[in-house]
Amino acid sequence: MNDVERRARLEAVVREVAEPVRRYLIRRVGPFAAEDVLSDVLLACWRRIDDIPADALPWAYGVARRCLANARRAAARREQLGVRLRALEPPAVAFAAEEGDDAIAVRAALERLRVVDAEVLRLWAWEGLEAADIAVALGITPNAAAIRLHRAKSRLRAELGKDRPGSGHVEHEGMEA
Amino acid sequence: MDDRDLRDRLRAADPASAFDALDTERISRMIERTTAAPEPPKRKARGWWVGGAGLAAAAALAVAIVVPLTRTPEPTRLTAPGGDAASAMCMAVTPELLAERDLAFQGTVSSIADGLVTLDVERVFKGDVAPRAVVVQQDAEFADFSGTVFETGATYLVSTVGSEVAACGQSGPMSSELLALYEAAYVG
């Protein structure tokens, strides 16, 4: 690619990935830190413009995952130095104006799962990825992603089952077509 | 609860659902800001050379050197440490031990040529690891003790001490056991 082609490719990639990657980051670190990390992700895309595959989004999620890990490490180092700048924890509450009890219970159940299980479920439900793209985003094999996703779903169902009496969610068993 | 119900419930709990989409003007500003950064390197100055052969006898680790890969005709190379494999002793591999490593990644061998193993890096657990790593292939004799002989097409988990690949089971072929140790060490 020459310089003009690279610039055009970057524009196309940013228009495709900026919004979904921003949401990916908001879900994991909240809206304020998400803006900073998104800049890092786009810069990484620019630096690696020759390596970006045709299906850029799952790859970009993988870049975002690594940028997020770097940001968390940097935040941990700052914290060790007694400097707390901007929180990099997952948002404790949703930002929706109105939210039902079930959404709170579901996020609480997600938090109780192992980190790897919760993450594969977020990628599946929130980022809307299937196993093959989850594999790209996590840097694992498609087979491993499919197995991990299957197990994580079972574990989340079990967790939600524990919550059922107070969850506000009503199962309509026997009513499915 | 079938998959669709589960996904719907998760989506209803999406913490990002209340945010408006970026408008085109903001996206244009992002593009301008991003491209204002220095030009990306043109297929050079990315990747790592991971080279060398030898084991630090006392530490029983250490087989390779990592230096920036510059894909120029004359890449910078560092001298590999020497060592005496026969005197090596290995510690048990634990998440705590792995957590002390400086770089850790998962990669699949795309080629082996002239004693150099090229891995496509698929997952970075720790450190600033480029998309590609090049490792000097180990002697089979040496690997019998503690190292790894790489094979084309196989996937490996690799960790390093400084610029040297950690041996003694801390790097090795992908397995559910080693992956579990890496995830415990780096993912949490």
Side-chain angles (χ1 to χ4, degrees):
Chain A
M1 274 194 285
N2 62 34
D3 289 347
V4 174
E5 290 168 332
R6 292 166 145 219
R7 161 83 191 206
R9 176 70 175 134
L10 192 269
E11 285 195 30
V13 167
V14 173
R15 290 187 199 288
E16 180 189 349
V17 309
E19 176 61 29
V21 169
R22 172 175 162 262
R23 286 177 183 274
Y24 168 99
L25 295 168
I26 288 171
R27 288 166 186 137
R28 287 155 181 84
V29 290
F32 303 113
E35 299 296 318
D36 294 340
V37 183
L38 179 58
S39 298
D40 296 342
V41 174
L42 298 183
L43 274 174
C45 289
W46 182 224
R47 286 197 298 269
R48 295 180 55 186
I49 194 74
D50 294 323
D51 298 327
I52 301 179
D55 188 7
L57 186 54
W59 178 90
Y61 284 135
V63 173
R65 176 174 56 80
R66 289 189 287 273
C67 287
L68 208 49
N70 287 340
R72 284 182 171 133
R73 275 194 292 274
R77 280 196 295 274
R78 285 197 299 268
E79 208 150 322
Q80 282 171 356
L81 293 170
V83 182
R84 189 174 179 92
L85 297 178
R86 194 174 267 182
L88 266 171
E89 293 84 31
V93 295
F95 300 95
E98 292 179 16
E99 189 167 59
D101 288 345
D102 191 57
I104 295 167
V106 168
R107 272 201 308 281
L110 211 48
E111 290 298 316
R112 290 197 298 273
L113 296 180
R114 293 168 64 226
V115 172
V116 289
D117 288 336
E119 182 57 17
V120 79
L121 288 167
R122 290 188 195 103
L123 289 168
W124 174 65
W126 292 351
E127 273 75 47
L129 303 184
E130 297 300 337
D133 287 338
I134 289 172
V136 175
L138 291 180
I140 58 178
T141 65
N143 192 37
I147 293 168
R148 199 179 286 185
L149 178 59
H150 179 75
R151 287 181 183 158
K153 285 177 194 170
S154 301
R155 287 170 181 153
L156 181 61
R157 284 192 185 96
E159 276 301 325
L160 290 170
K162 292 178 195 168
D163 285 346
R164 193 179 298 183
S167 70
H169 180 75
V170 180
E171 293 264 31
H172 299 282
E173 286 175 10
M175 294 181 67
E176 287 180 22
Chain B
M1 190 176 5
D2 65 17
D3 275 9
R4 185 195 279 186
D5 292 334
L6 189 65
R7 208 174 203 175
D8 286 347
R9 284 184 73 182
L10 278 162
R11 283 182 174 163
D14 179 357
S17 60
F19 287 85
D20 292 333
L22 294 166
D23 58 39
T24 52
E25 197 177 310
R26 248 185 103 192
I27 289 182
S28 296
R29 283 204 303 273
M30 285 178 176
I31 292 167
E32 290 308 318
R33 212 167 44 229
T34 304
T35 53
E39 279 283 298
K42 292 174 182 171
R43 286 246 166 240
K44 62 182 181 182
R46 79 179 99 236
W48 299 85
W49 279 108
V50 184
L55 189 74
L61 305 171
V63 279
I65 296 293
V66 182
V67 299
L69 168 62
T70 61
R71 293 202 190 171
T72 52
E74 295 295 333
T76 304
R77 295 173 194 257
L78 302 182
T79 307
D84 177 5
S87 64
M89 291 178 65
C90 289
M91 291 180 283
V93 181
T94 62
E96 291 71 25
L97 183 66
L98 286 171
E100 293 171 16
R101 303 287 75 90
D102 297 294
L103 303 176
F105 63 91
Q106 172 191 318
T108 296
V109 177
S110 58
S111 66
I112 302 175
D114 299 322
L116 293 176
V117 181
T118 301
L119 293 110
D120 288 332
V121 176
E122 294 152 352
R123 182 179 183 186
V124 177
F125 291 91
K126 184 177 180 185
D128 187 13
V129 181
R132 221 161 268 135
V134 178
V135 186
V136 169
Q137 177 70 297
Q138 281 214 311
D139 292 337
E141 178 192 359
F142 187 68
D144 281 345
F145 288 92
S146 62
T148 300
V149 176
F150 293 93
E151 293 177 10
T152 304
T155 300
Y156 295 85
L157 293 163
V158 179
S159 58
T160 75
V161 179
S163 57
E164 301 171 349
V165 170
C168 276
Q170 297 174 74
S171 301
M174 167 64 82
S175 68
S176 54
E177 291 79 7
L178 190 56
L179 180 62
L181 287 166
Y182 269 59
E183 290 190 332
Y186 306 115
V187 181

